[in-house]
Amino acid sequence: MENKLLTPLRLGDYTLKNRVIMAPLTRMRADADLVPTKLNIEYYRQRSSAGLIITEASQISRLAQGSPMTPGIYSDKQLAGWEKVTDAVHQENGRIFLQLWHVGRISHSSFHPGEGLPVAPSAIRPEGNTLTSEWKQVPFETPRALETSEIKATVRDYKQAAINAKKAGFDGVELHSANGYLLNQFLHGKTNQRTDEYGGSVENRARLALEVIDQLIDVWGTGKVGIRLSPFTFSGDVHDLDALPVYEYLLKELDFRQLAYVHFVRARSTEIEDQMVFEKEKELWNRYSGTIIAADGFTPETAEEYVENGLADAIAFGRSFISNPDLPKRIEINAELNAYDRTTFYGGGEKGYTDYPFLQEQNA
Ligand SMILES: Cc1cc2nc3c(=O)[nH]c(=O)nc-3n(C[C@H](O)[C@H](O)[C@H](O)COP(=O)(O)O)c2cc1C
């Protein structure tokens, strides 16, 4: 029987060759200027058989950075570095979207000493520790609440980043509004206690994400813009089921716009005990009538089942794409997957990055 995961998919302005998507994966291997390197080019080139590559999150400004050595998309050098990545992927007949990132309070002042403390909707410290620019584990700082005028400036930073991404030859952009970062912090009441037009009501808390989406559409058109959402995430200390009405509203608004796709990080059964959450999740997804990518914890088998049952149009694989550059081929011939090595996820060189074997190397 034909494997539906391997069939083409119309996604916005493109027809993808398959529904096996490479999830955005931060790997912390850019250079000191936060520019993609030769090694990064090779890594993405190796993974061009994905229906779509969504890059690692790329910060839109200095203040937007939250981890060491993550690539930016705000300087000319960074843009030129990314251009080589998109060229390599296109030479291999691949498609690649850039994930646009602002971490908000999940930052540390060591990344932007000139700008000082991390920024956020409200001055609320996340629980836990973070890494400094020197790779030292330290407790999070209490962020500074953005002024309303600074929020407008942040929207402009996103727009400029989208323009830069276009110049760098990407096929589109994904707005990172998931996993506890800035836009996610605005959506949830636990992290957003503002009293201006960006806080309080459902409409106000969704305002920033929608303003940014509209700027991205202005630059790219609806068919080349996606958004990533994780309504039930525990990452970044934002978990807050009271945020559900915000997502209902946001999805209604996104449905009007008909983006290239909405990318959902699904609720984790290891984190969530209340079974009602999974019903709520289904309801949320049903509010979006366009293309849906689903992520988190899929195997080739569960992914196929999911797509076959119409729960999503495509599946994003994270860790399996780290260790299997030829993942679609392995799915096609039902080959065993290479195991991933967690210790080489973040930082370092080619070990655990570009040295995972392709099938033909393994069989040679
Ligand atoms: C090393 C690593 C880096 C990640 N970086 C990002 C990122 O930059 N942006 C993002 O939205 N998600 C990121 N994620 C989450 C993945 O996109 C994906 O949702 C997660 O790995 C679950 O999918 P999986 O079970 O297929 O690995 C990262 C995950 C891992 C393991």
Side-chain angles (χ1 to χ4, degrees):
M1 206 180 71
E2 189 182 36
N3 196 329
K4 191 153 183 208
L5 266 180
L6 300 173
T7 60
L9 171 68
R10 184 84 201 162
L11 175 138
D13 292 349
Y14 299 108
T15 301
L16 306 185
K17 57 194 171 204
N18 61 52
R19 297 157 188 253
V20 182
I21 311 294
M22 180 174 167
L25 292 158
T26 290
R27 306 301 307 276
M28 302 188 200
R29 283 166 166 89
D31 74 11
D33 293 322
L34 312 176
V35 175
T37 65
K38 260 194 172 145
L39 196 61
N40 304 148
I41 298 167
E42 178 59 10
Y43 165 77
Y44 282 112
R45 192 190 61 71
Q46 288 178 342
R47 285 156 182 78
S48 301
S49 64
L52 175 68
I53 293 173
I54 304 165
T55 68
E56 64 204 279
S58 183
Q59 59 269 6
I60 61 160
S61 65
R62 259 202 313 272
L63 254 177
Q65 187 182 351
S67 307
M69 320 275 286
T70 54
I73 184 70
Y74 54 88
S75 77
D76 288 343
K77 267 191 186 171
Q78 293 161 355
L79 192 158
W82 277 121
E83 197 169 10
K84 295 188 189 127
V85 172
T86 61
D87 274 352
V89 170
H90 290 151
Q91 271 166 24
E92 300 287 331
N93 226 353
R95 293 250 176 246
I96 181 164
F97 275 35
L98 181 72
Q99 193 186 48
L100 296 175
W101 198 23
H102 191 313
V103 303
R105 67 180 192 159
I106 305 298
S107 182
H108 188 268
S109 48
S110 59
F111 295 111
H112 34 73
E115 286 87 355
L117 285 174
V119 295
S122 302
I124 303 169
R125 198 186 85 83
E127 285 292 326
N129 293 325
T130 189
L131 281 181
T132 67
S133 60
E134 303 298 320
W135 298 80
K136 250 182 63 192
Q137 279 264 2
V138 294
F140 279 111
E141 296 165 313
T142 301
R144 174 175 75 73
L146 284 161
E147 303 287 340
T148 311
S149 61
E150 291 177 303
I151 298 179
K152 310 275 180 209
T154 304
V155 176
R156 289 195 293 276
D157 288 343
Y158 273 107
K159 179 167 194 176
Q160 187 58 52
I163 293 169
N164 293 350
K166 202 167 195 184
K167 286 190 192 150
F170 283 98
D171 297 304
V173 286
E174 175 176 289
L175 182 62
H176 195 348
S177 192
N179 299 352
Y181 298 115
L182 184 75
L183 297 175
N184 201 165
Q185 292 157 28
F186 268 85
L187 293 174
H188 292 202
K190 184 175 178 186
T191 38
N192 180 352
Q193 292 172 9
R194 300 182 70 88
T195 51
D196 64 0
E197 73 258 37
Y198 291 99
S201 68
V202 159
E203 290 81 359
N204 283 356
R205 278 186 280 150
R207 188 178 309 282
L208 178 57
L210 288 169
E211 281 185 2
V212 174
I213 276 291
D214 287 339
Q215 292 304 315
L216 304 188
I217 291 173
D218 197 43
V219 175
W220 280 95
T222 49
K224 296 185 175 77
V225 173
I227 187 169
R228 194 171 217 216
L229 300 172
S230 59
F232 307 101
T233 190
F234 281 71
S235 301
D237 188 24
V238 289
H239 185 69
D240 175 8
L241 289 178
D242 292 344
L244 277 174
V246 183
Y247 286 97
E248 288 169 6
Y249 168 75
L250 183 60
L251 285 162
K252 187 180 82 185
E253 287 292 319
L254 293 173
D255 202 51
F256 288 142
R257 289 160 174 84
Q258 286 296 310
L259 304 178
Y261 64 87
V262 173
H263 184 174
F264 285 107
V265 180
R266 59 181 178 163
R268 281 195 178 171
S269 50
T270 49
E271 289 175 331
I272 291 171
E273 285 169 13
D274 182 356
Q275 288 306 306
M276 279 303 290
V277 167
F278 298 97
E279 291 303 311
K280 290 254 180 290
E281 179 171 65
K282 259 194 229 139
E283 273 173 41
L284 269 187
W285 292 23
N286 282 335
R287 284 173 187 264
Y288 191 70
S289 62
T291 302
I292 290 183
I293 301 176
D296 208 292
F298 284 98
T299 63
E301 294 74 27
T302 56
E304 174 61 21
E305 216 178 283
Y306 224 67
V307 169
E308 194 60 56
N309 291 336
L311 295 170
D313 301 288
I315 302 296
F317 293 88
R319 290 161 292 183
S320 297
F321 244 123
I322 288 181
S323 54
N324 296 276
D326 51 359
L327 185 60
K329 184 73 190 170
R330 286 175 192 256
I331 292 176
E332 184 189 331
I333 64 170
N334 207 8
E336 206 175 316
L337 301 190
N338 299 321
Y340 51 80
D341 171 11
R342 214 177 274 284
T343 64
T344 50
F345 278 178
Y346 302 112
E350 53 186 76
K351 184 169 181 301
Y353 191 56
T354 48
D355 67 348
Y356 283 108
F358 283 73
L359 273 169
Q360 63 268 35
E361 292 166 357
Q362 260 168 346
N363 297 334

